[in-house]
Amino acid sequence: AAGVIQSPRHLIKEKRETATLKCYPIPRHDTVYWYQQGPGQDPQFLISFYEKMQSDKGSIPDRFSAQQFSDYHSELNMSSLELGDSALYFCASSSGPSQYFGPGTRLTVT
Amino acid sequence: GDSVTQMEGPVTLSEEAFLTINCTYTATGYPSLFWYVQYPGEGLQLLLKATKADDKGSNKGFEATYRKETTSFHLEKGSVQVSDSAVYFCALKFSRDDKIIFGKGTRLHILP
């Protein structure tokens, strides 16, 4: 079965640079979610989109923005990167109550 | 606020042992409850879920029952395998919200 696709899988950036993470949901899933998992931590909800509109917002820094496109894929844009942004970023998608997670993008900020 | 508390790890067991990972929640209302598993270097996989009181979720030999009276959702497996070694996250979600609230995770090591 098709799963959530995230790219890139690994990304290394320097402080103050920008990064763009991409997420391709499971076909026919209309809702996309972004989570951040710091080292040894539980995932924290950042933001979600339903039918290209922001649906819910969590602890997303103002330096981050996201959007969902007409083909339902989503991008998380991160600017002025800080060392503390180093984490695993998960995208999940759903068409109902259960969220299905992608493999994550590991971002390292040096 | 709403939260999930699960037993701290790591939990180390021998192969074929019985597994219990405790999970309790605090919530204003009646959320859906989930167990997710994260294998080394991989993403989160939905293991099982329960959407209302007394529901039992099961998958791959794992089970958990939604206990409203004790606000618990303990994960059990009768005979663990080395391949079950992973981090297990208990989680809750309300239908009114998009976010899933996760516990801190429990690392499980199974020795051959």
Side-chain angles (χ1 to χ4, degrees), chain A residues 60-83:
Chain A
I60 184 169
D62 292 341
R63 299 177 289 108
F64 295 6
S65 65
Q67 58 183 322
Q68 185 180 31
F69 295 86
S70 57
D71 64 351
Y72 294 102
H73 94 272
S74 178
E75 296 183 3
L76 178 65
N77 298 292
M78 311 160 70
S79 63
S80 303
L81 287 170
E82 302 173 355
L83 295 178

mmCIF file of all heavy atoms in Angstrom, chain A residues 60-83:
data_model
loop_
_atom_site.group_PDB
_atom_site.id
_atom_site.type_symbol
_atom_site.label_atom_id
_atom_site.label_comp_id
_atom_site.label_asym_id
_atom_site.label_seq_id
_atom_site.Cartn_x
_atom_site.Cartn_y
_atom_site.Cartn_z
ATOM 1 N N ILE A 60 4.139 25.871 16.569
ATOM 2 C CA ILE A 60 4.996 26.163 15.423
ATOM 3 C C ILE A 60 5.608 27.551 15.585
ATOM 4 O O ILE A 60 4.893 28.529 15.811
ATOM 5 C CB ILE A 60 4.208 26.052 14.095
ATOM 6 C CG1 ILE A 60 5.136 26.262 12.889
ATOM 7 C CG2 ILE A 60 3.004 26.977 14.066
ATOM 8 C CD1 ILE A 60 4.497 25.900 11.558
ATOM 9 N N PRO A 61 6.942 27.658 15.490
ATOM 10 C CA PRO A 61 7.588 28.968 15.611
ATOM 11 C C PRO A 61 7.174 29.894 14.475
ATOM 12 O O PRO A 61 6.819 29.449 13.382
ATOM 13 C CB PRO A 61 9.089 28.636 15.525
ATOM 14 C CG PRO A 61 9.202 27.177 15.800
ATOM 15 C CD PRO A 61 7.931 26.573 15.320
ATOM 16 N N ASP A 62 7.238 31.194 14.733
ATOM 17 C CA ASP A 62 6.891 32.174 13.709
ATOM 18 C C ASP A 62 7.844 32.103 12.516
ATOM 19 O O ASP A 62 7.499 32.543 11.415
ATOM 20 C CB ASP A 62 6.917 33.585 14.298
ATOM 21 C CG ASP A 62 5.795 33.800 15.297
ATOM 22 O OD1 ASP A 62 4.811 33.029 15.265
ATOM 23 O OD2 ASP A 62 5.899 34.718 16.124
ATOM 24 N N ARG A 63 9.038 31.557 12.728
ATOM 25 C CA ARG A 63 10.020 31.426 11.648
ATOM 26 C C ARG A 63 9.629 30.339 10.645
ATOM 27 O O ARG A 63 10.235 30.222 9.583
ATOM 28 C CB ARG A 63 11.398 31.092 12.229
ATOM 29 C CG ARG A 63 11.953 32.138 13.169
ATOM 30 C CD ARG A 63 13.280 31.707 13.756
ATOM 31 N NE ARG A 63 13.136 30.615 14.719
ATOM 32 C CZ ARG A 63 13.513 29.354 14.483
ATOM 33 N NH1 ARG A 63 14.038 29.027 13.318
ATOM 34 N NH2 ARG A 63 13.356 28.434 15.414
ATOM 35 N N PHE A 64 8.671 29.515 11.031
ATOM 36 C CA PHE A 64 8.232 28.419 10.170
ATOM 37 C C PHE A 64 6.908 28.790 9.518
ATOM 38 O O PHE A 64 6.048 29.445 10.127
ATOM 39 C CB PHE A 64 8.016 27.140 10.973
ATOM 40 C CG PHE A 64 9.251 26.546 11.592
ATOM 41 C CD1 PHE A 64 10.482 27.174 11.548
ATOM 42 C CD2 PHE A 64 9.175 25.324 12.246
ATOM 43 C CE1 PHE A 64 11.614 26.610 12.122
ATOM 44 C CE2 PHE A 64 10.288 24.744 12.825
ATOM 45 C CZ PHE A 64 11.505 25.400 12.772
ATOM 46 N N SER A 65 6.722 28.320 8.308
ATOM 47 C CA SER A 65 5.428 28.462 7.639
ATOM 48 C C SER A 65 5.184 27.200 6.828
ATOM 49 O O SER A 65 6.122 26.445 6.534
ATOM 50 C CB SER A 65 5.394 29.691 6.726
ATOM 51 O OG SER A 65 6.319 29.534 5.661
ATOM 52 N N ALA A 66 3.944 26.968 6.494
ATOM 53 C CA ALA A 66 3.620 25.766 5.739
ATOM 54 C C ALA A 66 2.416 26.044 4.856
ATOM 55 O O ALA A 66 1.661 26.996 5.089
ATOM 56 C CB ALA A 66 3.347 24.595 6.672
ATOM 57 N N GLN A 67 2.264 25.212 3.856
ATOM 58 C CA GLN A 67 1.081 25.306 3.020
ATOM 59 C C GLN A 67 0.795 23.952 2.395
ATOM 60 O O GLN A 67 1.662 23.087 2.332
ATOM 61 C CB GLN A 67 1.248 26.376 1.943
ATOM 62 C CG GLN A 67 2.426 26.188 1.014
ATOM 63 C CD GLN A 67 2.544 27.338 0.019
ATOM 64 O OE1 GLN A 67 1.542 27.856 -0.471
ATOM 65 N NE2 GLN A 67 3.768 27.741 -0.293
ATOM 66 N N GLN A 68 -0.439 23.815 1.942
ATOM 67 C CA GLN A 68 -0.852 22.618 1.212
ATOM 68 C C GLN A 68 -1.272 23.047 -0.182
ATOM 69 O O GLN A 68 -2.014 24.030 -0.341
ATOM 70 C CB GLN A 68 -2.005 21.909 1.922
ATOM 71 C CG GLN A 68 -2.391 20.586 1.278
ATOM 72 C CD GLN A 68 -3.538 19.897 1.983
ATOM 73 O OE1 GLN A 68 -4.412 20.547 2.541
ATOM 74 N NE2 GLN A 68 -3.538 18.569 1.953
ATOM 75 N N PHE A 69 -0.839 22.315 -1.168
ATOM 76 C CA PHE A 69 -1.070 22.680 -2.562
ATOM 77 C C PHE A 69 -2.275 21.933 -3.150
ATOM 78 O O PHE A 69 -2.845 21.062 -2.500
ATOM 79 C CB PHE A 69 0.204 22.399 -3.374
ATOM 80 C CG PHE A 69 1.370 23.262 -2.951
ATOM 81 C CD1 PHE A 69 2.190 22.887 -1.901
ATOM 82 C CD2 PHE A 69 1.634 24.459 -3.601
ATOM 83 C CE1 PHE A 69 3.257 23.680 -1.499
ATOM 84 C CE2 PHE A 69 2.704 25.255 -3.211
ATOM 85 C CZ PHE A 69 3.501 24.870 -2.155
ATOM 86 N N SER A 70 -2.618 22.292 -4.387
ATOM 87 C CA SER A 70 -3.821 21.739 -5.005
ATOM 88 C C SER A 70 -3.737 20.229 -5.197
ATOM 89 O O SER A 70 -4.769 19.555 -5.265
ATOM 90 C CB SER A 70 -4.097 22.418 -6.349
ATOM 91 O OG SER A 70 -2.980 22.284 -7.204
ATOM 92 N N ASP A 71 -2.514 19.680 -5.278
ATOM 93 C CA ASP A 71 -2.371 18.223 -5.397
ATOM 94 C C ASP A 71 -2.260 17.568 -4.022
ATOM 95 O O ASP A 71 -1.940 16.391 -3.920
ATOM 96 C CB ASP A 71 -1.157 17.869 -6.267
ATOM 97 C CG ASP A 71 0.162 18.328 -5.644
ATOM 98 O OD1 ASP A 71 0.122 19.066 -4.629
ATOM 99 O OD2 ASP A 71 1.223 17.961 -6.173
ATOM 100 N N TYR A 72 -2.520 18.340 -2.983
ATOM 101 C CA TYR A 72 -2.543 17.919 -1.571
ATOM 102 C C TYR A 72 -1.169 17.732 -0.947
ATOM 103 O O TYR A 72 -1.103 17.470 0.267
ATOM 104 C CB TYR A 72 -3.392 16.651 -1.366
ATOM 105 C CG TYR A 72 -4.852 16.880 -1.656
ATOM 106 C CD1 TYR A 72 -5.413 16.456 -2.851
ATOM 107 C CD2 TYR A 72 -5.655 17.558 -0.745
ATOM 108 C CE1 TYR A 72 -6.745 16.689 -3.130
ATOM 109 C CE2 TYR A 72 -6.988 17.802 -1.017
ATOM 110 C CZ TYR A 72 -7.538 17.367 -2.218
ATOM 111 O OH TYR A 72 -8.857 17.615 -2.500
ATOM 112 N N HIS A 73 -0.094 17.878 -1.727
ATOM 113 C CA HIS A 73 1.187 17.796 -1.066
ATOM 114 C C HIS A 73 1.402 19.052 -0.224
ATOM 115 O O HIS A 73 0.751 20.083 -0.449
ATOM 116 C CB HIS A 73 2.329 17.547 -2.071
ATOM 117 C CG HIS A 73 3.034 18.771 -2.557
ATOM 118 N ND1 HIS A 73 2.620 19.505 -3.647
ATOM 119 C CD2 HIS A 73 4.156 19.373 -2.093
ATOM 120 C CE1 HIS A 73 3.451 20.500 -3.843
ATOM 121 N NE2 HIS A 73 4.393 20.461 -2.922
ATOM 122 N N SER A 74 2.282 18.956 0.736
ATOM 123 C CA SER A 74 2.504 20.068 1.650
ATOM 124 C C SER A 74 3.996 20.348 1.777
ATOM 125 O O SER A 74 4.830 19.459 1.572
ATOM 126 C CB SER A 74 1.931 19.739 3.029
ATOM 127 O OG SER A 74 2.170 20.789 3.950
ATOM 128 N N GLU A 75 4.315 21.593 2.061
ATOM 129 C CA GLU A 75 5.697 21.996 2.289
ATOM 130 C C GLU A 75 5.805 22.781 3.585
ATOM 131 O O GLU A 75 4.939 23.622 3.881
ATOM 132 C CB GLU A 75 6.215 22.833 1.113
ATOM 133 C CG GLU A 75 6.283 22.052 -0.188
ATOM 134 C CD GLU A 75 6.851 22.847 -1.350
ATOM 135 O OE1 GLU A 75 7.266 24.005 -1.152
ATOM 136 O OE2 GLU A 75 6.886 22.282 -2.479
ATOM 137 N N LEU A 76 6.847 22.474 4.340
ATOM 138 C CA LEU A 76 7.155 23.186 5.576
ATOM 139 C C LEU A 76 8.404 24.009 5.316
ATOM 140 O O LEU A 76 9.456 23.447 4.992
ATOM 141 C CB LEU A 76 7.387 22.196 6.716
ATOM 142 C CG LEU A 76 7.776 22.773 8.077
ATOM 143 C CD1 LEU A 76 6.643 23.608 8.655
ATOM 144 C CD2 LEU A 76 8.154 21.648 9.049
ATOM 145 N N ASN A 77 8.263 25.312 5.409
ATOM 146 C CA ASN A 77 9.373 26.220 5.176
ATOM 147 C C ASN A 77 9.904 26.744 6.507
ATOM 148 O O ASN A 77 9.127 27.213 7.346
ATOM 149 C CB ASN A 77 8.919 27.397 4.313
ATOM 150 C CG ASN A 77 8.448 26.943 2.942
ATOM 151 O OD1 ASN A 77 9.229 26.473 2.132
ATOM 152 N ND2 ASN A 77 7.155 27.045 2.700
ATOM 153 N N MET A 78 11.201 26.640 6.660
ATOM 154 C CA MET A 78 11.829 27.008 7.924
ATOM 155 C C MET A 78 12.931 28.014 7.643
ATOM 156 O O MET A 78 13.826 27.738 6.837
ATOM 157 C CB MET A 78 12.406 25.750 8.585
ATOM 158 C CG MET A 78 11.382 24.603 8.617
ATOM 159 S SD MET A 78 12.131 22.980 8.839
ATOM 160 C CE MET A 78 12.663 23.125 10.524
ATOM 161 N N SER A 79 12.857 29.172 8.271
ATOM 162 C CA SER A 79 13.847 30.216 8.025
ATOM 163 C C SER A 79 14.625 30.531 9.296
ATOM 164 O O SER A 79 14.232 30.147 10.395
ATOM 165 C CB SER A 79 13.156 31.483 7.500
ATOM 166 O OG SER A 79 12.276 31.996 8.480
ATOM 167 N N SER A 80 15.738 31.235 9.098
ATOM 168 C CA SER A 80 16.595 31.629 10.225
ATOM 169 C C SER A 80 16.821 30.449 11.164
ATOM 170 O O SER A 80 16.597 30.536 12.383
ATOM 171 C CB SER A 80 15.975 32.800 10.996
ATOM 172 O OG SER A 80 15.753 33.904 10.161
ATOM 173 N N LEU A 81 17.272 29.361 10.590
ATOM 174 C CA LEU A 81 17.411 28.127 11.359
ATOM 175 C C LEU A 81 18.315 28.314 12.573
ATOM 176 O O LEU A 81 19.325 29.023 12.526
ATOM 177 C CB LEU A 81 17.955 27.019 10.464
ATOM 178 C CG LEU A 81 16.960 26.463 9.454
ATOM 179 C CD1 LEU A 81 17.666 25.555 8.452
ATOM 180 C CD2 LEU A 81 15.841 25.717 10.151
ATOM 181 N N GLU A 82 17.921 27.642 13.654
ATOM 182 C CA GLU A 82 18.682 27.654 14.906
ATOM 183 C C GLU A 82 19.115 26.231 15.232
ATOM 184 O O GLU A 82 18.529 25.263 14.739
ATOM 185 C CB GLU A 82 17.797 28.206 16.031
ATOM 186 C CG GLU A 82 17.262 29.596 15.765
ATOM 187 C CD GLU A 82 16.261 30.040 16.825
ATOM 188 O OE1 GLU A 82 15.922 29.234 17.712
ATOM 189 O OE2 GLU A 82 15.827 31.215 16.746
ATOM 190 N N LEU A 83 20.133 26.120 16.082
ATOM 191 C CA LEU A 83 20.615 24.797 16.456
ATOM 192 C C LEU A 83 19.483 23.938 17.040
ATOM 193 O O LEU A 83 19.415 22.731 16.807
ATOM 194 C CB LEU A 83 21.749 24.917 17.475
ATOM 195 C CG LEU A 83 23.037 25.587 16.987
ATOM 196 C CD1 LEU A 83 24.046 25.684 18.122
ATOM 197 C CD2 LEU A 83 23.639 24.816 15.813
#
